[in-house]
């Protein structure tokens, strides 16, 4: 099975009041294509740091991150930006949609940034909106959408450039139980059907049965519990 996201011996520290604090300590993770992994842990355990490193937003102090078989360790800022645009789909706690762009325009912007030709972009937008049940909302602005609809648009935006890896940071935090389950079910389906590696940081235990594995971030490392 191909692993589209690999973290090898990741270590990260930061200074807290003049004291060096280790947040991640030789952390290892391999996520197979088609797999959705949940990562849990108490506040301050390093979940946000872990996700930032996995998404090539933060350089670790030690170790290596591989995205779709490619190491990001020796990349410059422009190369990292290109990797994030083409290989990683980010989904955040808040949908973070651009308020003055309609649903279709949110996706068109991502296509333009990725230099996708117009015909391919139009086909991809139609495909995603159909898949996520949003075609009837393509001309709506974010303030006219429900919370669940906004998160579905965020998922469509994350999938627009067909990334190898999906990273979600508390995607159900602002949703009720039913909508939260729908969003995570959608993430799991997209990972499995499109062969992506997906990682979701969450506190929401209700969605754990939808995940292939549940890992806990403790003492700087990831521990799997059955």
């Amino acid at each position: 099975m191909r692993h589209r996201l690999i973290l090898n011996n990741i270590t990260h520290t930061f200074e807290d009041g003049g004291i060096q604090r280790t947040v991640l300590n030789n952390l290892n993770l391999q996520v197979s294509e088609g797999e959705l992994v949940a990562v849990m842990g108490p506040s301050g355990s390093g979940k946000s740091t872990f996700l930032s490193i996995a998404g090539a937003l933060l350089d670790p102090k030690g170790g290596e991150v591989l995205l779709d078989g490619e190491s990001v360790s020796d990349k410059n800022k422009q190369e990292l930006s290109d990797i994030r645009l083409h290989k990683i789909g980010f989904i955040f706690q808040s949908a973070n949609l651009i308020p003055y762009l309609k649903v279709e325009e949110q996706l068109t912007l991502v296509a333009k940034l990725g230099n996708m030709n117009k015909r391919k972009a139009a086909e991809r937008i139609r495909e995603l909106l159909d898949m996520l049940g949003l075609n009837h909302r393509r001309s709506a602005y974010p303030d006219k959408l429900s919370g669940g609809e906004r998160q579905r648009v965020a998922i469509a935006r994350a999938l627009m450039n067909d990334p190898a890896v999906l990273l979600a940071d508390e995607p159900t935090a602002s949703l009720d139980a039913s909508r939260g389950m729908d969003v995570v079910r959608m993430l799991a389906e997209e990972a499995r059907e499109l062969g992506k590696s997906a990682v979701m940081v969450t506190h929401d235990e209700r969605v754990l049965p939808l995940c292939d594995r549940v890992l806990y971030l403790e003492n700087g490392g990831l521990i799997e519990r059955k």
Side-chain angles (χ1 to χ4, degrees), residues 81-133:
S81 179
D82 289 341
I83 286 171
R84 288 192 294 268
L85 180 60
H86 294 285
K87 291 188 179 293
I88 307 170
F90 290 99
I91 302 162
F92 301 100
Q93 178 174 337
S94 171
N96 289 331
L97 302 180
I98 299 171
Y100 54 83
L101 293 182
K102 298 175 183 178
V103 167
E104 184 173 7
E105 293 168 338
Q106 306 275 344
L107 307 186
T108 300
L109 176 61
V110 176
K112 285 180 179 177
L113 292 173
N115 295 317
M116 189 181 297
N117 72 60
K118 289 185 178 180
R119 178 178 293 180
K120 183 178 179 182
E123 290 174 356
R124 181 72 174 152
I125 290 169
R126 184 169 59 251
E127 173 189 339
L128 287 171
L129 295 183
D130 280 341
M131 184 169 59
L132 295 171

Side-chain angles (χ1 to χ4, degrees), residues 7-165:
L7 281 73
N8 286 329
N9 300 317
I10 298 297
T11 298
H12 198 72
T13 60
F14 67 87
E15 194 170 297
D16 183 10
I19 299 173
Q20 202 75 6
R21 182 183 167 208
T22 299
V23 183
L24 304 178
N25 186 18
N26 290 320
L27 179 147
N28 290 282
L29 175 65
Q30 296 183 338
V31 186
S32 301
E33 59 183 3
E35 185 178 31
L36 171 60
V37 174
V39 174
M40 305 188 80
S43 296
S45 60
K47 297 188 303 299
S48 294
T49 301
F50 153 76
L51 207 62
S52 295
I53 289 172
L57 290 168
L58 178 66
D59 287 332
K61 300 296 185 184
E64 183 180 36
V65 177
L66 291 95
L67 291 165
D68 213 17
E70 181 181 10
S71 174
V72 303
S73 300
D74 57 350
K75 306 300 183 186
N76 60 39
K77 287 185 178 180
Q78 184 56 55
E79 289 170 329
L80 287 173
S81 179
D82 289 341
I83 286 171
R84 288 192 294 268
L85 180 60
H86 294 285
K87 291 188 179 293
I88 307 170
F90 290 99
I91 302 162
F92 301 100
Q93 178 174 337
S94 171
N96 289 331
L97 302 180
I98 299 171
Y100 54 83
L101 293 182
K102 298 175 183 178
V103 167
E104 184 173 7
E105 293 168 338
Q106 306 275 344
L107 307 186
T108 300
L109 176 61
V110 176
K112 285 180 179 177
L113 292 173
N115 295 317
M116 189 181 297
N117 72 60
K118 289 185 178 180
R119 178 178 293 180
K120 183 178 179 182
E123 290 174 356
R124 181 72 174 152
I125 290 169
R126 184 169 59 251
E127 173 189 339
L128 287 171
L129 295 183
D130 280 341
M131 184 169 59
L132 295 171
L134 289 166
N135 228 327
H136 66 298
R137 306 295 272 154
R138 65 189 306 131
S139 296
Y141 288 99
D143 65 347
K144 301 300 181 184
L145 302 174
S146 69
E149 286 172 335
R150 284 194 291 272
Q151 278 295 59
R152 278 185 279 161
V153 175
I155 291 173
R157 184 179 58 187
L159 291 169
M160 186 64 202
N161 284 340
D162 195 24
V165 174

